[in-house]
Amino acid sequence: MEILDLVRLNLLSPMVLAFVLGVVATLVRSDLKFPDEIYTALSIYLLLAIGLKGGAELSETALADFWAPALMTLLLGVSIPIVAYVILRRLGRLEVADAAALAAHYGSVSAVTFAAVQTFLIALDIPFEGFMPTLVAILEIPAIIIALVIARVALGQGGNWGEVLRELLAGKSILLLLGGMVIGFLSGRAGLAQVAPVFVDPFKGILTLFLLEMGMVAARRFRDLRRVGFFLIAFGILMPIVNGTFGIWLGSLAGLSQGGAVILGTLAASASYIAAPAAVRIALPQANPSYYLTASLAITFPFNLAIGIPLYYGLAGFFY
Amino acid sequence: MEILDLVRLNLLSPMVLAFVLGVVATLVRSDLKFPDEIYTALSIYLLLAIGLKGGAELSETALADFWAPALMTLLLGVSIPIVAYVILRRLGRLEVADAAALAAHYGSVSAVTFAAVQTFLIALDIPFEGFMPTLVAILEIPAIIIALVIARVALGQGGNWGEVLRELLAGKSILLLLGGMVIGFLSGRAGLAQVAPVFVDPFKGILTLFLLEMGMVAARRFRDLRRVGFFLIAFGILMPIVNGTFGIWLGSLAGLSQGGAVILGTLAASASYIAAPAAVRIALPQANPSYYLTASLAITFPFNLAIGIPLYYGLAGFFY
Amino acid sequence: MEILDLVRLNLLSPMVLAFVLGVVATLVRSDLKFPDEIYTALSIYLLLAIGLKGGAELSETALADFWAPALMTLLLGVSIPIVAYVILRRLGRLEVADAAALAAHYGSVSAVTFAAVQTFLIALDIPFEGFMPTLVAILEIPAIIIALVIARVALGQGGNWGEVLRELLAGKSILLLLGGMVIGFLSGRAGLAQVAPVFVDPFKGILTLFLLEMGMVAARRFRDLRRVGFFLIAFGILMPIVNGTFGIWLGSLAGLSQGGAVILGTLAASASYIAAPAAVRIALPQANPSYYLTASLAITFPFNLAIGIPLYYGLAGFFY
Amino acid sequence: MPTTKLKLVTIISETILEDRIIRELKQLGVRGYTVSGEVRGEGTRGLPTVDFGGQNIRIETLVNPELATQIMAYIAEHYFADYAVIVYTLDAEVIRSEKYL
Amino acid sequence: MPTTKLKLVTIISETILEDRIIRELKQLGVRGYTVSGEVRGEGTRGLPTVDFGGQNIRIETLVNPELATQIMAYIAEHYFADYAVIVYTLDAEVIRSEKYL
Amino acid sequence: MPTTKLKLVTIISETILEDRIIRELKQLGVRGYTVSGEVRGEGTRGLPTVDFGGQNIRIETLVNPELATQIMAYIAEHYFADYAVIVYTLDAEVIRSEKYL
Ligand SMILES: Nc1ncnc2c1ncn2[C@@H]1O[C@H](COP(=O)(O)O)[C@@H](O)[C@H]1O
Ligand SMILES: Nc1ncnc2c1ncn2[C@@H]1O[C@H](COP(=O)(O)O)[C@@H](O)[C@H]1O
Ligand SMILES: Nc1ncnc2c1ncn2[C@@H]1O[C@H](COP(=O)(O)O)[C@@H](O)[C@H]1O
Ligand code: NA
Ligand code: NA
Ligand code: NA
């Protein structure tokens, strides 16, 4: 009941509504198009802004508070892809490559979902730890590596590991997140204040614009929904709920505040759509992109945005 | 006299001056170029911002105040293209297709001109109804349909009406305006406040950038002025004055405030340069684009921006 | 010592750190790419914003305070390229075309370096004259013309002078700077206030984004450093120090405030990377672009940004 | 490695016609195509651009010679009179020709 | 439907030369052309780009064989020494050939 | 002015492969190339795009006929199975052929 209220509140936020507008635009075949360059610019902005704020906060945090959550996050990044892979192979009967590809996506993380849950909590005035962006960075990569290792072992392939690793670590999302964090950390709150009219105040508005575009992107994948089948649709909804609950629980064990645990849960529940697809396409080309892109973008992302976030907030009540 | 003061004041606003700078850039053949993607992004922004603000205001308006202005707006949308068509055929001796194409443009509406008149009134602290963006949406399409019907009847053509209608309704300007309005309406003033640092505060500044580009676009059409001839130039200035006066009058009859009537008049006076050209090019390809684009962009738009808006404000004095 | 403190302070500003992040992104071969259109948009923004603020300030300045600094700036624009040319020919033994090309760059000016020094002084609460952007415009072109004249005389070439001059004067940086200044001047502080949420408040943040991209651009030139040789690297560091000191001294003679003299010195020290490369590539195609682009972008620009600006500030202490 | 000779048909058209031409190409039997947006140009019509985005697009499709002829005829009949559209073909060589036929 | 054989001349050049080359093509008698901006490339000169926008542009023009030869010679003479420019021709077939001649 | 006949090899591929294909082309002996980003298309694979930027890129390179054959074979062997990639060649004429060989 309280969760339903939160869902309603969340659904009526400009961000979620903008996502819906994007979906509608695609469904009515509007000529509205978001230039790719603007999409790229907005995502650079979001990642850098998340990093900057996180870094500035981190510079005021006792690092002793930080190791437990960091470790738990790493644990999430290692365990989720393994669990997901097993489920996909056993229950879903997917090919090795496809199962590993999906495992990489669900173990990794979506920065926009992070931005959305952060905005949700701020709107409700619920406090959370300032170092959360660090956890986004920690969670992004391990799952991808583990899933790729699983695939290579199962398929008996070798391959250019060094190159894949470099590409992952130098990938733009990690670079901007970590880079932004370092900038924020070194220049501190005073530095952040100087650029706040760009990187702080307009954050929600820019996120709204970005979600308009995400709605169009997700909706273009809708026609693949039939192709991916019922199992993947169910997976794209249930796996996040499982991962989200797991993340909240680990967050509570790690001593995070309730808000922090909701964020960690949402991170666990979210599926990557930047770093993972790029790495998987290169390292596991035989996996069918329709599966992982559709599940991540057309099922899990909208689910988390609209229902998952308030749901995880509600679920956190059981742990606090 | 008072009108002259307003004109001078208006001419010295950053927005009008930016338009002039754009014109100058083209005339001196500067290498200044506005990337198309930025133009697209700015126009997405403007339409969405207009819609959002309108929707948030609408959510606080008694809808009983709304039906009369809405009806009058519809009346404008139906009558202007008919009058324009007759004038263009009788006095201008234009071909059927060209006359209908121009009628579509002058019956429809320019969202940027709307943004400019709104900004003008806000600078003068003159209040107006919050639901004005709704009227933009109402005025945008009917005139185009009526003009196309006239052309098809006169030319004895049939054709794919359903497709043309869908394209008009799903066109990006309607989609963003109405979509923004729905978002603003549902999320209310509180929702708008969350995204105000993007969609409210920077509005004038973004409009200024946009008008810089519009100046370049309009000036590129100047060389066609000779080709379109004296009649069209006169039409591009006198028709807006007629339509503007008519719009103000209907606005006063509908019980709009003076500010609201000035806006309705400006809407009536403005000529479309997004929705109408796209629809006309597809549905009436035999009409010469030089005529309608030059009249709308190189004559009427600058006229309204520089002189028309303060003029309509002055004229409104006779009705209030 | 005090200079060292300033350097450290400067190095930890978000702007300089963003530049470093851009360099890192290129060195680790990240897939981070800044769309060209965004780069163009940001540079339009920066130039226009600089101009607008300058113009609005100028409208409140007694023009009697202005002629001496303007004249000194012109003197800088005339003397620097001559000195630079002689040094490059005598000490560096460069070809005529290459020496003249470099002279054009070091005599002209970098608007982003101007933005950086302005931001630096504002952060330290050091006042400076509002008309400084005018000096940017004055300094931009003469050096380029003089260097081209030198080259043509030395090479015995004729050529289309009128066209080169028109292109210089209609070049986008002059057009936006001067155009912005005229707009700011005519619409005054009240006009500027209307667009401040776009052109004033976010300035530092946008500059930060821009410097991220500049870092990537500069780093792409690093691999040419070996090719250009030790002499040019030394030139790219020492010439700015000489020019900067000269500029500060002339500024103090012209009666500028200390802040104003630091800015004039920084302008003198900076090397053009928009206007000069374009003009030189057309008018002096036989000059090797590797030399002038690498010196200007990969040596002098980062040097000024990181060390030069606080250094010139320290040096100004000797003249005040 | 056996190669096959096909035709590369190129259509340069106003942006606004993109969706329509692609729909029609598919109806004519085209199995793949590549579009480059944001090209610009001048021809005998001047600049009839109606939107501000890149004025023209280029559509290229590899097809067998008969289909190439059909496409050229189709475009000529339906677009030459009223729109700024040109079409031309080049001789191309491909491998894996079954993909295009 | 009769087709005519023409030459498609392609020039790839530094962005900065766009206006100049197009002016000169028109003087040589070209009646239409298409430009694709924002192409990038590498050749024997490395990267002499002077602005940050797309480094190169591609200019294509359909002309008769004589004019094609003339254009190639012109470009070679005026640009090869100092600028990063290449030019090549392909055999094209068009309909409505009077449009290009 | 003597002209030489070369092959213009065109590869249309997923954006994500750009760096890799160019590295490999250079290893095969290519001396220059031109890339047009932001092309989009459809073929027999549907839309396997993994990033949101322009889905495909077009890589063009002028080479001698033997190298052209080699490149086609290489691309077929390494990319056709798993990636959305096509390759075709056209006959081109150039001047200054030593530049490309
Ligand atoms: N001779 C030509 N060579 C290359 N492209 C051309 C030529 N003529 C026309 N075009 C292209 O086709 C478009 C339409 O041509 P037109 O219908 O002649 O205006 C132009 O905007 C150019 O992009
Ligand atoms: N062999 C080639 N194939 C395709 N494009 C080339 C080739 N060589 C050079 N180019 C293009 O022409 C431009 C100038 O070449 P260059 O003058 O050799 O530096 C390069 O940036 C490429 O875009
Ligand atoms: N017949 C064709 N003509 C032109 N381009 C094609 C054709 N088939 C495929 N392509 C291009 O090659 C890409 C990959 O094709 P595919 O591997 O068939 O999906 C497509 O996205 C198109 O851009
Ligand atoms: Na996850
Ligand atoms: Na109207
Ligand atoms: Na200088």
Side-chain angles (χ1 to χ4, degrees), chain F residues 17 20-21 24 74-83 85:
Chain F
L17 298 173
R20 183 164 144 194
I21 291 180
E24 292 164 348
Y74 183 91
I75 296 287
E77 189 188 328
H78 290 81
Y79 292 100
F80 278 8
D82 289 327
Y83 292 104
V85 171

Side-chain angles (χ1 to χ4, degrees), chain D residues 6-9 30-35 59-63 96 99-101, chain F residues 11-14 39-49 55-57 79-80 83-88:
Chain D
L6 292 180
K7 293 283 178 183
L8 180 68
V9 182
V30 154
R31 299 201 46 207
Y33 65 88
T34 300
V35 179
I59 305 174
E60 283 163 312
T61 180
L62 283 163
V63 293
R96 263 201 320 181
K99 201 172 156 50
Y100 311 98
L101 300 177
Chain F
I11 301 164
I12 296 178
S13 116
E14 304 177 32
V39 309
R40 47 190 186 276
E42 265 184 90
T44 47
R45 288 182 171 266
L47 277 169
T49 318
Q55 305 157 210
N56 289 340
I57 46 151
Y79 292 100
F80 278 8
Y83 292 104
V85 171
I86 68 168
V87 59
Y88 57 86

Side-chain angles (χ1 to χ4, degrees), chain D residues 12 41 43-45 56 84 86, chain E residues 32-34 60-62 99-100:
Chain D
I12 296 179
T44 47
R45 288 181 172 266
N56 288 340
I86 68 167
Chain E
Y33 65 89
T34 300
E60 284 163 312
T61 179
L62 283 163
K99 200 171 156 49
Y100 310 98

Side-chain angles (χ1 to χ4, degrees), chain D residues 21-34:
Chain D
I21 291 179
I22 284 170
R23 207 166 48 232
E24 292 163 349
L25 286 178
K26 285 181 182 169
Q27 280 160 10
L28 288 171
V30 154
R31 299 201 46 207
Y33 65 88
T34 300

Side-chain angles (χ1 to χ4, degrees), chain A residues 75-100:
Chain A
L75 183 60
L76 281 170
V78 171
S79 52
I80 291 178
I82 298 177
V83 173
Y85 180 78
V86 172
I87 292 177
L88 288 159
R89 288 283 289 161
R90 293 282 153 83
L91 299 182
R93 313 226 152 273
L94 268 71
E95 305 275 325
V96 167
D98 290 325

Side-chain angles (χ1 to χ4, degrees), chain E residues 49-65:
Chain E
T49 317
V50 297
D51 63 26
F52 299 83
Q55 305 157 210
N56 289 340
I57 46 152
R58 176 208 318 268
I59 305 174
E60 284 163 312
T61 179
L62 283 163
V63 294
N64 64 50

